[in-house]
Amino acid sequence: MVEEEGIRVVRCGGSELNFRRAVFSADSKYIFCVSGDFIKVYSTATEECVHILQGHRNLVTGIQLNPSNHLQLYSCSADGTIKLWDYIDGILIKTFRVGCELHALFTLSCAEDSVFVMINKGKPDVFQLASVKLPKSSSQEIEAKELSFVLDYVNQSPKCIAFGNEGEYVAAVRDFYLSVYFFKKKTTTRFTLSSSRNKKHARNNFTCVACHPKEDCIATGHKDGKIRLWRNFDDEKKYTYTCLHWHHDLVMDLAFSVTGSSLLSGGRESVLVEWREAAEKNKEFLPRLGATIEHISVSPAGDLFCTSHSDNKITIIHRNLEASAVIQGLVKDRSIFTGLMIDPRTKALVLNGKPGHLQFYSLQSDKQLYNLDIIQQEYINDSGLIQIELTKAAFGCYGNWLATVEQRQEKETELELQMKIWMYNKKTQGFVLNTKVNMPHEDHITALCFCNAEKSESSTLVTASKDGHFKVWILTDDSDIYKKAVGWTCDFVGSYHKYQATNCCFSEDGSLLAVSFEEIVTIWDSETWELKCTFCQRAGKIRHLCFGRLTCSKYLLGVTENGILCCWNLLSCALEWSTKLNVRVMEPDPNSENIAAITQSSVGSDLFVFKPSEPRPLYIQKNICREEVLWGVFVPRDVPESFTSEAHQWLNRSQFYFLTKSQSLLTFSTQSPEEKLTPTSKQLLAEESLPTTPFYFLLGKHRQQQQNDKLNEALENELVQLPLTENIPAISELLRTPAHVLPSASFLCSMFVNSLLLSTETKSAEENPDDVDMEEEKESDDSDEENNFTEKIQDTNNTDLEEDIIHQLSKSEEKELKKFRKVDYSWIAAL
Amino acid sequence: MAGYKPVAIQTYPVLGEKITQDTLYWNNYKTPVQIKEFGAVSKVDFSSQPPYNYAVTASSRIHIYGRYSQEPIKTFSRFKDTAYCATFRQDGRLLVAGSEDGGVQLFDISGRAPLRQFEGHTKAVHSVDFTADKYHVVSGADDYTVKLWDIPNSKEILTFKEHSDYVRCGCASKLNPDLFVTGSYDHTVKMFDARTNQSVISVEHGQPVESVLLFPSGGLLVSAGGRYVKVWDMLKGGQLLVSLKNHHKTVTCLCLSSSGQRLLSGSLDRKVKVYSTTSYKVVHSFDYTASILSLALAHEDETIVVGMTNGILSVKHRKSEAKKDSVPRRRRPAYRTFIKGKNYMKQQDDILINRPLKKHLELYDRDLKNFRISKALDRVLEPTCTIKTPEVTVSIIKELNRRGVLANALAGRDEKEISRVLNFLIRNLSQPRFAPVLINAAEIIIDIYLPVIGQSPVVDKKFLVLQGLVEKEIDYQRELLETLGMMDMLFATMTRKESTSVLQHNTSDGFLENNKIES
C-alpha cells in the first residue's frame, strides 16, 4: 500500500436478489436481477454471475429488455436515471436523466421511443404511472424530461401494473380497485369488487395483476388466495370474471406463459402452481421451493420460468416444472440467533439461513456455498406456527466439529431443546450428525463454546444455561469389536449459587474456563473442574465475556448490561481497568491481541479497537452506522496486508464484518471505491461473445498484433522490428491457457512457430481477411437481429474498432474476403 | 429441490443386551436336549470325521452319541473305576481314555474290548491325547508325570517328571507330532518336545491349571485355571498375551469355535462365555443350570454340548435354515421384469438419464405429506404400532402439534376411536420420555370432549382411569421430591462438615501465626 486513505464502512455483498422480478434475456441464456445499486447478470445454465452492471448511485428499482434490441437492457433507479446497457459486454451505453425518483420501469414493443416509469409526487403513498419519451441523441448523457401521465393513484409495487395484448391497455390494481386504461381510446375503466363494501372482513384486496399476452384477459391475485380472470372489461357493465382458488394465503405473483396457454401463480405456500388453459381442474404443482414466492417471471423464449423467493433466492424452472438452477444469495429474511461465525475450513461466513438451516456464505465471491440442514424436518410454512429455531452454533477443533442447539417453546412450561454435534467427514466433505442430545439443559442454553486449544488431546464443549448450570461435554470413545463409535457425553456439571449461567469462554490455551453467572464471573480449571476464583463488579449482568489472546492472555474482559467494560488480570486476580462504554458487540481478533467493541448510543454505533493491556484504544471510528449492530466477526485475511499507520494496523491480519439490525452486512475498507471495482469483469466479457476456444484465442490475439504491426509498418516505413518473446500474445496465451483445454501439441506447433516468425506483408494479407471475414459475418448476423440498429450505436467502443478494420481493407483483400465468405465456418459454432 | 423430509422418529437407547452379530449367531440354537448321565460329565469330545459322533465321559462309562440321537449308540463300560478324558483320534476310529486306577485304555470305535492297555501310571490319569502323527498317546496323571506311549507296541517311550503336582490337563499340537502341552496343579503349563526329553517352554499361570488349549496354528496357547483364562504367545517363548477374568468361579473347560474366531470357556459359575480371538472381549454368554465341567462344539458349530456336575448333558442344535424355505412362497414376478431395460448397453452417442430414485416413505409419512392428518394419526394408533413402537405414535403426535393441527386431528372421533386414543394415553402417559407430548395431547382431548362427557360409559371409564393415573403420578412425584430433599439435606450436612474443618484448620493456622508474632 503506497497510499492509505481513511477507513470507510462499506457494504459487502449479500444484497437482495428478490427485490424485483428477474428478467430473462431473449435467448434465455442470461437472467438479470437487481441487487442493491447493481444489476447482476447470471448465466441460467451455470448459475454463475457473469457481470455486475455498476453505475447507478442508488437502489435500482426496475429492469427491462430494450424491446427494439434484445441485446440491450434498460434499468431505472431511485437516483432518477434510466440507463441503457449492453449486457453482453457489460457496458453502459446511455444515461437518461429524468430527475425524479423512479420506482418501476415498463417497456412496450409498440412504443419504441418511450418507456413507462412509476414516479411519486407529493404524498408518500401516492404513485403515478407516467410515460417518458427517450430522445434520440448520440451523446452519452441525455435529459429526458418529457413526462406524460397515464394512471394516477397506483400501488407502489410493480406487480400491481401490467400491460396487456401488445400494449393496447394497461391494468393497475390497488386495494379493491382494478383500473384499466386503454391507450387507443384514452379512457379508464374502473372495477370494484362487490364484497369490498362490507370492509369488515374483506380479504379480497388485490395483490398483483397479469395480462394475457394475446387475448383480452386480465388475471388478478387477491389476499384471500383467489385468482380472478377478468374478460370483456372494455365494457363497464358487461364484464365477467371467473375465480381460481388453490392458494390458502395471499397470491404473491402471477405470470402468463408466453403463449398465454397457462398461468403461473405463487404465494406463501412456496408452491408454484401452473393453471393450464385457465381451468380450475388443470393445474400442476411444483412444491417445496423453500420459501415464499415473491416474484415469477417467464423467459421471452418460453422455455424457462423463474421464481424469486423471500430467502434471497432465484430458482430457474424448466418449462416442464423441473427446477434446473438455483441462484442463492445471503439468506436474510429471518432473525439471526447464531451470530456470525467463520468456518475454519472454508473461511466462509456461517449464520442462520433458511428455516432450520445453517448457511455457509463465501465473502469473497458473494455467493452461498451451501446450506446445512440442521433441524431436518419438513418445514410447514404457516403464519401462526411456532417453528423450531436454530439458536446456537459453534465450530470446534479447526472445523472438525460443529455443535448446534435448536429450541421450540410453545408455552412457558413446554420447552423442547435439542443439541446436535456434527462431525466433519473428509470423504464426503460435509458435516455428519454424530450425537444428538435431547434436553441437554432444563432451560434455554445461553452460550456454547468449544475448547480450541492446540495441544489439548480431548475435545471439550461447554454449554451454559439459564437453569443455573453449565455442562462440560467430552468426546468419548465408545467403540467395540463390531463398530467404531465416538460420541459426546456429559462429563461435569457446574453451578454457582443457582444463578443463571449467561456466558462461557475458554482461554486461548484451554487451561481456564470462564463462566459468568449473572453479575459474577467464575474461573474454572479445565483439568480438574475446580473453581479457581470469582470476579464480581456489581455493575449489572455480564453481557459478553472473552479472554485476551497472545501476549494479552492474562486478561479477561467482560461487558455488563449497565455499560461497563471491565478488564481483569488473571495473575493478580484483580481488576486491571474498567471504563464506561455501552458495548453491544465485543469480538476478539483470532490473529492478534486486538479486540473490537461496538457501542450503541442514541446517535449511532461507534467502533473501538483496543488491546487489553492498554486502556487507550488503538482506533476509534464514530458513527459507523445509524442502527444497532447485532453481531460482528473478525475474518482472517488470506494474504496479510501491511498497513503501517497506527490506525490501520488492526486491519492487517483480519477484516472485521458486522451485521446490523436491518440485516445489512458491512465491513471496513481502506480502499477507495474505484479500486474496489472488479477488474475481471471487463476481461471476461470479450471472451463471452465468441465461443472460447484456444484456437480463437490464438487467432484473435494474433490478429490484433498484426494490426498493430501493420500500423507500425505504415507509420515507420517498413522498419523491421523484432518483437520480444514475452510480448507475443500467442506464446503468452499458450502459457496461460490451462493444459487440459489446449489442443494437441502437434496442432499448436506450426502456429507457435509461425507466431515467432516475423510477419511479412504477403502473409498478413493472406491471414487478415480470414479473420476479418469471421468478424464481418458476426457483424452481419448481429445487424440482422438488431434491425439496422448498429448504425445508431456507433459510439460504442467495439463497433468503432471493427469499422476501422473494415476501412483499412484494400481492394485485393476485399476480393479475398469474398472468396472466403463461401468457406463454411459452421465448425466454429460447434466448438 | 429438496423432497419431503420424513418425520424424525425419536429413538431411545435400547436397554439390556445389545443385539450384535454374535448374539444372533449364538442365540440361533434350539432349546437344549437334556440327557441324564450316571455322574458328573468330565469330558465331551467330538469326532472330527463325519458323522461327527461325540464321546461323553461320565462316571465309569464312556457313551458315544450320534449327532441327533438322545440314546447312546455305543457304550464303553469296562472300567473298574471312574473313566477320564475319552478322546477321539483325528481320523475318528480310535478312542483313548484314562481311568482312576492309573491305566490308559485304547478302544476301537467298532469294538468293545480295549485294543491296548498302557500300564505305567501309579495314580489316576486325568488327561490323554493323541499326537499329531496318530501313533502316539500322551497322558498326564496325578503321580505328577507325563508319559508318551507308542500305540503299535503299547510301550512307554518317554516319561517327563517336571511337574510338581497333579497333571490334570493336556493337549497335543495338531501340526507337530513331537509337541504337546500339559497343565498342572503346580500352577504351570509346560510344553514338551519328544525329541529333547524335557520341557521347552514353561509358563506360570498363577492358579491350578484346569484346562489348556492350543490354537490350530500352534502359535497361541490358552490356559484356564482359577478364575482366569490366559492366552500365551508361544512363538515369543511363552509371553502372556492377555489375561481374562470374566468368570467368578473356577474355569474348567475351554473350546474353540470351528472358525477359530471365537473362544469359549465354561466355568463352575454355570456360564459359558464366548470371546473374540482378535480383541479378547466377551461377545456372548450362555447360562446353564449347573456348574459346567466340560464343553465341546461340533463341526461348523452345529451343536454345543455341555456336561455339568449334576450329570446332565445339555445338547443344543443349531436351528436349520432349511425350514424357512419350506413355507410356500408367494409367486413373485419373473426376474426379467426387474432387470427390464437395465441390461441395455449404452451406445456411443447415447446420453444416459437415470430415473430419479423414489424415496420409500412410511404410510404415516405419505399421509402427512398430503396433509391427511387424521388419517396419519389413525394409522399410528393401530394396536400393532402403539404396542410395538409407541415412540412412533408419540413422534407423530409431536409432529402434528408442531404443525398446529393436533386438535383438528383429535377432534371428531367416535367412541371406539377415542377409547383407542385414551388407551394409548393410559398406557404411556406416565413414561417420563413421552410425558411432555402426551400430557399436552390429553389436555386437548379433555378440552374437545368435555361437552359430550357422560354420553358413553366406556369413554367415561377411561377418563376415570386416566384421572386415577394422573393422581397416582402426582403422588409419586411428590414422594420423589421428598426423597430428593432428604438426600440434599444429607449432602449439605456432609459438605458443611468439610468446610467447617477447613475453617478450623485456617483458624488454627491463624493462631499459630499470632503466636509467632507474639513470640
Side-chain angles (χ1 to χ4, degrees):
Chain A
M1 273 302 126
V2 184
E3 201 195 346
E4 285 166 8
E5 297 181 26
I7 296 176
R8 301 178 310 118
V9 177
V10 291
R11 207 171 274 271
C12 67
S15 50
E16 293 185 312
L17 301 174
N18 58 352
F19 180 59
R20 289 288 187 254
R21 274 182 195 152
V23 173
F24 281 98
S25 67
D27 54 0
S28 308
K29 260 190 190 166
Y30 302 101
I31 186 165
F32 315 103
C33 63
V34 303
S35 165
D37 302 355
F38 310 133
I39 302 154
K40 289 192 173 172
V41 184
Y42 289 95
S43 160
T44 52
T46 62
E47 312 169 12
E48 281 298 316
C49 181
V50 184
H51 291 299
I52 299 174
L53 307 180
Q54 306 172 330
H56 281 294
R57 298 190 178 278
N58 205 336
L59 209 60
V60 181
T61 50
I63 43 173
Q64 290 292 338
L65 282 183
N66 186 354
S68 49
N69 183 351
H70 295 305
L71 300 175
Q72 295 176 345
L73 183 77
Y74 280 116
S75 71
C76 77
S77 154
D79 65 1
T81 57
I82 297 171
K83 287 181 195 270
L84 183 65
W85 307 85
D86 179 346
Y87 63 80
I88 301 263
D89 299 328
I91 296 165
L92 176 65
I93 299 169
K94 272 182 197 181
T95 305
F96 301 95
R97 257 186 276 116
V98 181
C100 55
E101 212 172 303
L102 308 173
H103 292 280
L105 179 77
F106 304 94
T107 55
L108 272 183
S109 53
C110 55
E112 272 180 40
D113 54 344
S114 61
V115 293
F116 296 88
V117 292
M118 192 147 34
I119 53 173
N120 177 12
K121 279 197 173 162
K123 281 180 258 174
D125 198 28
V126 181
F127 292 85
Q128 291 153 327
L129 182 70
S131 107
V132 181
K133 193 153 171 58
L134 300 177
K136 278 175 192 165
S137 161
S138 57
S139 67
Q140 285 263 346
E141 293 230 353
I142 305 157
E143 296 277 329
K145 299 278 184 195
E146 212 177 305
L147 287 174
S148 56
F149 291 101
V150 179
L151 273 172
D152 204 351
Y153 196 66
V154 294
N155 207 330
Q156 184 185 5
S157 166
K159 286 191 281 191
C160 295
I161 290 175
F163 290 81
N165 204 355
E166 281 143 15
E168 276 187 17
Y169 57 88
V170 55
V173 294
R174 188 185 166 113
D175 301 334
F176 298 100
Y177 307 104
L178 165 69
S179 340
V180 184
Y181 176 80
F182 295 92
F183 286 104
K184 277 185 191 154
K185 290 191 270 177
K186 307 219 163 165
T187 54
T188 311
T189 335
R190 180 172 274 203
F191 306 97
T192 311
L193 280 182
S194 55
S195 60
S196 65
R197 274 163 207 144
N198 61 343
K199 286 206 170 169
K200 232 178 183 178
H201 298 294
R203 284 189 67 236
N204 52 1
N205 315 34
F206 286 94
T207 53
C208 52
V209 66
C211 292
H212 197 286
K214 302 273 162 65
E215 296 165 26
D216 280 345
C217 174
I218 298 174
T220 57
H222 297 263
K223 217 173 178 178
D224 54 359
K226 279 183 185 151
I227 298 165
R228 285 186 172 80
L229 290 170
W230 303 73
R231 290 172 206 277
N232 297 337
F233 43 79
D234 46 351
D235 193 328
E236 225 162 316
K237 297 270 161 60
K238 278 192 206 154
Y239 74 90
T240 58
Y241 66 75
T242 52
C243 243
L244 302 173
H245 198 177
W246 179 85
H247 295 277
H248 78 266
D249 215 327
L250 81 160
V251 181
M252 291 293 277
D253 202 5
L254 287 170
F256 274 101
S257 66
V258 177
T259 54
S261 62
S262 63
L263 173 69
L264 299 160
S265 69
R268 193 173 276 155
E269 303 88 355
S270 50
V271 180
L272 182 70
V273 188
E274 184 183 7
W275 308 82
R276 299 250 162 93
E277 278 123 24
E280 182 117 42
K281 58 177 189 261
N282 283 346
K283 50 182 186 282
E284 300 274 329
F285 303 103
L286 179 63
R288 273 178 276 282
L289 285 169
T292 306
I293 295 174
E294 301 252 348
H295 304 281
I296 302 171
S297 42
V298 178
S299 75
D303 56 342
L304 294 175
F305 307 137
C306 93
T307 52
S308 310
H309 298 266
S310 60
D311 62 353
N312 209 7
K313 174 175 75 178
I314 296 173
T315 311
I316 297 165
I317 297 161
H318 201 255
R319 182 73 192 80
N320 56 5
L321 290 188
E322 263 177 29
S324 67
V326 176
I327 297 162
Q328 174 85 61
L330 183 68
V331 182
K332 293 205 291 194
D333 67 332
R334 299 173 75 247
S335 41
I336 305 293
F337 297 107
T338 58
L340 305 179
M341 287 171 296
I342 295 298
D343 177 17
R345 241 167 235 286
T346 56
K347 301 279 182 293
L349 189 71
V350 180
L351 64 161
N352 280 119
K354 291 196 291 182
H357 290 65
L358 266 186
Q359 60 175 329
F360 288 66
Y361 173 79
S362 164
L363 289 163
Q364 278 77 31
S365 56
D366 184 21
K367 191 178 155 190
Q368 200 187 56
L369 297 179
Y370 65 99
N371 267 311
L372 179 64
D373 188 0
I374 300 288
I375 291 176
Q376 296 180 329
Q377 256 178 356
E378 179 79 354
Y379 181 67
I380 304 293
N381 207 338
D382 211 341
S383 50
L385 280 186
I386 300 159
Q387 305 284 359
I388 301 182
E389 300 287 356
L390 176 62
T391 53
K392 293 274 178 269
F395 283 98
C397 310
Y398 313 105
N400 282 335
W401 293 97
L402 166 69
T404 57
V405 174
E406 58 208 58
Q407 70 174 39
R408 177 176 184 270
Q409 187 159 30
E410 194 159 305
K411 292 177 206 157
E412 190 73 19
T413 51
E414 288 173 25
L415 177 73
E416 289 170 31
L417 207 58
Q418 210 167 47
M419 182 163 77
K420 284 176 180 164
I421 301 164
W422 307 73
M423 188 168 71
Y424 188 78
N425 188 334
K426 284 204 179 92
K427 214 180 261 176
T428 57
Q429 298 280 304
F431 283 97
V432 181
L433 184 60
N434 176 271
T435 308
K436 195 158 80 171
V437 185
N438 262 340
M439 293 304 285
H441 282 275
E442 309 274 295
D443 209 338
H444 298 272
I445 288 181
T446 52
L448 184 71
C449 75
F450 273 98
C451 174
N452 281 333
E454 275 170 42
K455 63 176 195 323
S456 70
E457 55 281 352
S458 64
S459 311
T460 315
L461 169 72
V462 173
T463 54
S465 160
K466 275 188 181 169
D467 64 359
H469 297 291
F470 73 89
K471 289 190 179 175
V472 180
W473 308 81
I474 54 163
L475 186 65
T476 48
D477 195 344
D478 182 26
S479 310
D480 52 22
I481 65 162
Y482 306 105
K483 59 179 195 296
K484 287 245 178 291
V486 284
W488 292 76
T489 48
C490 187
D491 184 46
F492 178 75
V493 182
S495 63
Y496 189 80
H497 293 286
K498 295 193 173 164
Y499 288 124
Q500 292 185 350
T502 50
N503 283 293
C504 60
C505 174
F506 269 103
S507 66
E508 198 188 13
D509 59 353
S511 62
L512 290 177
L513 168 72
V515 184
S516 66
F517 290 93
E518 296 181 10
E519 294 190 349
I520 301 152
V521 181
T522 55
I523 309 291
W524 305 74
D525 184 355
S526 69
E527 293 281 317
T528 55
W529 301 116
E530 251 176 72
L531 182 61
K532 284 288 175 192
C533 64
T534 56
F535 299 117
C536 180
Q537 225 46 53
R538 292 282 160 214
K541 289 184 185 176
I542 305 285
R543 191 187 279 156
H544 291 292
L545 202 60
C546 79
F547 277 95
R549 302 205 175 238
L550 304 173
T551 57
C552 298
S553 57
K554 62 180 175 182
Y555 297 104
L556 174 68
L557 291 144
V559 176
T560 67
E561 297 275 346
N562 294 1
I564 309 279
L565 173 64
C566 304
C567 177
W568 292 283
N569 190 332
L570 293 168
L571 297 178
S572 61
C573 291
L575 185 72
E576 190 85 6
W577 53 267
S578 72
T579 174
K580 191 150 179 61
L581 267 184
N582 185 19
V583 177
R584 287 277 150 185
V585 175
M586 182 165 73
E587 275 294 322
D589 183 354
N591 291 338
S592 68
E593 296 98 341
N594 300 329
I595 288 174
I598 294 179
T599 62
Q600 167 76 22
S601 65
S602 54
V603 189
S605 301
D606 307 326
L607 171 83
F608 295 84
V609 181
F610 60 93
K611 282 184 185 175
S613 52
E614 313 164 31
R616 200 178 59 83
L618 288 174
Y619 178 75
I620 302 175
Q621 179 152 4
K622 292 270 180 194
N623 237 333
I624 51 172
C625 66
R626 288 186 169 277
E627 29 178 13
E628 198 179 328
V629 175
L630 293 180
W631 304 99
V633 72
F634 271 103
V635 182
R637 284 184 197 273
D638 292 336
V639 184
E641 302 271 356
S642 52
F643 301 121
T644 45
S645 75
E646 205 177 320
H648 293 67
Q649 263 179 2
W650 65 283
L651 285 169
N652 270 353
R653 302 235 184 95
S654 312
Q655 218 175 344
F656 189 69
Y657 287 83
F658 60 96
L659 191 75
T660 62
K661 201 166 189 179
S662 67
Q663 312 257 317
S664 44
L665 188 65
L666 305 170
T667 187
F668 293 96
S669 164
T670 54
Q671 289 163 331
S672 58
E674 283 73 32
E675 277 178 272
K676 261 262 170 199
L677 299 181
T678 46
T680 51
S681 57
K682 290 272 154 62
Q683 203 185 332
L684 236 138
L685 245 247
E687 296 166 9
E688 193 67 28
S689 50
L690 273 181
T692 50
T693 62
F695 185 58
Y696 157 74
F697 277 132
L698 287 171
L699 280 184
K701 300 281 169 151
H702 195 99
R703 186 195 63 216
Q704 253 181 16
Q705 198 221 341
Q706 279 180 345
Q707 283 158 13
N708 290 343
D709 283 356
K710 250 179 89 173
L711 279 174
N712 286 343
E713 277 166 12
L715 286 170
E716 293 172 10
N717 266 337
E718 298 184 44
L719 186 72
V720 177
Q721 277 193 325
L722 265 171
L724 293 167
T725 38
E726 60 261 33
N727 291 343
I728 298 174
I731 295 169
S732 59
E733 198 58 54
L734 196 72
L735 296 175
R736 264 201 291 146
T737 317
H740 64 277
V741 295
L742 275 177
S744 67
S746 59
F747 180 74
L748 285 174
C749 182
S750 59
M751 207 173 300
F752 177 70
V753 172
N754 277 342
S755 71
L756 291 173
L757 291 174
L758 289 175
S759 51
T760 60
E761 259 200 322
T762 49
K763 196 167 176 292
S764 63
E766 259 179 32
E767 198 131 84
N768 225 1
D770 182 334
D771 302 333
V772 173
D773 185 59
M774 278 160 67
E775 209 50 48
E776 170 77 2
E777 264 200 354
K778 279 272 158 204
E779 184 81 13
S780 62
D781 283 353
D782 281 359
S783 52
D784 285 349
E785 267 180 32
E786 293 166 20
N787 305 333
N788 305 325
F789 207 80
T790 33
E791 280 85 356
K792 289 177 193 168
I793 47 161
Q794 276 176 6
D795 49 342
T796 58
N797 297 339
N798 49 347
T799 41
D800 273 353
L801 199 76
E802 281 154 13
E803 301 256 315
D804 282 353
I805 304 162
I806 296 164
H807 291 313
Q808 280 173 11
L809 293 176
S810 65
K811 286 217 164 156
S812 63
E813 282 169 339
E814 265 179 354
K815 258 183 204 168
E816 288 276 329
L817 197 144
K818 274 171 192 161
K819 209 166 77 187
F820 272 102
R821 185 163 276 190
K822 286 158 195 158
V823 182
D824 188 11
Y825 286 107
S826 59
W827 59 274
I828 298 175
L831 279 173
Chain B
M1 289 298 95
Y4 174 80
K5 289 176 198 159
V7 178
I9 302 298
Q10 185 67 54
T11 51
Y12 296 95
V14 184
L15 297 175
E17 202 179 358
K18 262 188 205 160
I19 293 172
T20 61
Q21 257 170 297
D22 274 283
T23 52
L24 291 176
Y25 184 83
W26 295 107
N27 280 332
N28 192 22
Y29 285 93
K30 294 179 199 161
T31 44
V33 177
Q34 309 256 352
I35 301 168
K36 180 72 185 157
E37 291 287 337
F38 293 99
V41 180
S42 63
K43 173 81 178 177
V44 180
D45 189 43
F46 268 95
S47 159
S48 56
Q49 296 301 319
Y52 308 115
N53 295 333
Y54 56 98
V56 175
T57 318
S59 185
S60 62
R61 284 161 202 243
I62 297 166
H63 291 300
I64 295 184
Y65 291 91
R67 204 161 156 201
Y68 296 109
S69 70
Q70 293 187 32
E71 294 293 318
I73 53 174
K74 194 158 184 69
T75 304
F76 299 100
S77 54
R78 301 215 173 162
F79 292 95
K80 296 184 192 89
D81 210 333
T82 319
Y84 293 110
C85 201
T87 309
F88 279 106
R89 199 165 80 167
Q90 288 87 323
D91 59 3
R93 289 162 69 182
L94 292 182
L95 184 83
V96 69
S99 74
E100 186 68 40
D101 59 2
V104 177
Q105 298 184 13
L106 187 73
F107 298 93
D108 188 355
I109 293 300
S110 49
R112 192 163 286 271
L115 278 180
R116 296 278 188 279
Q117 295 216 1
F118 305 110
E119 300 292 342
H121 283 296
T122 53
K123 282 190 178 160
V125 178
H126 276 267
S127 137
V128 283
D129 200 1
F130 289 97
T131 60
D133 61 3
K134 304 183 196 170
Y135 305 125
H136 299 96
V137 168
V138 184
S139 67
D142 284 358
D143 59 2
Y144 311 168
T145 60
V146 176
K147 287 181 193 286
L148 186 67
W149 309 90
D150 188 32
I151 295 172
N153 46 23
S154 67
K155 284 235 177 91
E156 177 188 322
I157 301 171
L158 279 169
T159 304
F160 302 94
K161 293 181 178 166
E162 292 185 28
H163 284 295
S164 54
D165 207 333
Y166 300 158
V167 180
R168 282 289 166 90
C169 53
C171 169
S173 163
K174 290 196 173 56
L175 296 173
N176 191 327
D178 296 317
L179 281 182
F180 53 92
V181 282
T182 54
S184 155
Y185 275 16
D186 64 358
H187 301 187
T188 60
V189 177
K190 289 181 192 286
M191 176 173 262
F192 295 99
D193 190 338
R195 295 165 292 196
T196 60
N197 299 338
Q198 59 179 8
S199 67
V200 284
I201 296 169
S202 174
V203 294
E204 188 69 27
H205 181 80
Q207 273 82 27
V209 182
E210 296 283 352
S211 179
V212 289
L213 182 77
L214 268 175
F215 269 65
S217 65
L220 291 178
L221 170 73
V222 190
S223 64
R227 294 167 59 194
Y228 292 90
V229 174
K230 293 188 178 179
V231 184
W232 312 86
D233 191 343
M234 298 318 274
L235 298 178
K236 277 190 180 171
Q239 195 186 27
L240 180 65
L241 201 66
V242 69
S243 172
L244 308 168
K245 190 187 171 190
N246 294 96
H247 289 284
H248 54 266
K249 278 188 184 169
T250 305
V251 184
T252 52
C253 46
L254 293 170
C255 170
L256 268 183
S257 78
S258 55
S259 64
Q261 298 287 307
R262 299 285 181 264
L263 173 71
L264 286 82
S265 70
S267 153
L268 296 181
D269 65 1
R270 301 187 289 195
K271 281 191 197 311
V272 171
K273 304 243 174 195
V274 184
Y275 309 85
S276 153
T277 53
T278 46
S279 64
Y280 293 104
K281 295 255 165 64
V282 176
V283 294
H284 192 68
S285 141
F286 300 103
D287 282 329
Y288 283 92
T289 51
S291 300
I292 295 157
L293 286 180
S294 54
L295 164 73
L297 277 181
H299 176 74
E300 297 287 326
D301 303 343
E302 286 294 320
T303 317
I304 303 175
V305 184
V306 166
M308 288 172 277
T309 48
N310 59 357
I312 292 202
L313 189 69
S314 157
V315 183
K316 280 205 268 191
H317 293 288
R318 177 175 290 283
K319 283 177 190 160
S320 54
E321 280 96 29
K323 225 175 188 179
K324 278 178 192 164
D325 293 324
S326 62
V327 179
R329 278 174 59 186
R330 205 160 47 114
R331 201 179 136 69
R332 296 247 171 89
Y335 176 66
R336 63 171 183 277
T337 55
F338 292 108
I339 59 155
K340 197 171 177 184
K342 285 192 180 156
N343 51 1
Y344 177 74
M345 292 300 287
K346 199 180 134 198
Q347 303 294 314
Q348 199 184 5
D349 297 331
D350 288 357
I351 297 165
L352 194 70
I353 297 170
N354 283 319
R355 187 178 290 177
L357 266 181
K358 209 172 177 187
K359 213 175 12 177
H360 172 75
L361 288 179
E362 297 287 342
L363 288 173
Y364 52 79
D365 267 330
R366 275 183 224 173
D367 287 334
L368 283 178
K369 187 181 172 187
N370 293 316
F371 294 89
R372 293 190 295 256
I373 46 169
S374 291
K375 193 130 185 242
L377 188 63
D378 286 343
R379 233 182 254 284
V380 294
L381 284 172
E382 296 282 333
T384 47
C385 183
T386 53
I387 291 163
K388 255 190 183 169
T389 53
E391 66 268 14
V392 172
T393 315
V394 173
S395 294
I396 296 297
I397 292 175
K398 195 175 169 186
E399 170 71 15
L400 291 176
N401 188 34
R402 185 180 75 86
R403 293 185 175 199
V405 291
L406 182 58
N408 300 7
L410 286 170
R413 284 166 186 272
D414 61 14
E415 184 189 277
K416 197 176 149 198
E417 284 170 333
I418 194 68
S419 62
R420 188 180 270 179
V421 182
L422 287 172
N423 276 339
F424 180 74
L425 289 180
I426 289 163
R427 188 192 285 269
N428 293 300
L429 191 66
S430 55
Q431 292 197 31
R433 56 190 188 181
F434 298 147
V437 178
L438 293 186
I439 286 172
N440 184 29
E443 275 172 3
I444 290 172
I445 289 177
I446 291 167
D447 285 347
I448 293 170
Y449 294 98
L450 198 62
V452 293
I453 214 152
Q455 288 182 5
S456 153
V458 183
V459 174
D460 289 354
K461 213 168 134 194
K462 293 264 157 60
F463 271 119
L464 283 177
V465 173
L466 197 65
Q467 191 190 1
L469 195 77
V470 171
E471 278 165 6
K472 221 165 88 185
E473 185 66 22
I474 289 169
D475 284 345
Y476 179 59
Q477 291 290 345
R478 190 177 292 135
E479 269 174 47
L480 279 180
L481 273 179
E482 279 170 13
T483 322
L484 210 63
M486 280 190 261
M487 280 163 70
D488 271 350
M489 198 135 74
L490 284 174
F491 284 128
T493 52
M494 278 165 71
T495 47
R496 188 168 296 159
K497 246 178 217 168
E498 242 171 56
S499 61
T500 49
S501 71
V502 169
L503 272 178
Q504 278 166 2
H505 196 69
N506 282 346
T507 48
S508 66
D509 274 0
F511 277 124
L512 280 177
E513 276 168 24
N514 285 343
N515 290 343
K516 272 179 198 166
I517 292 160
E518 277 168 27
S519 62

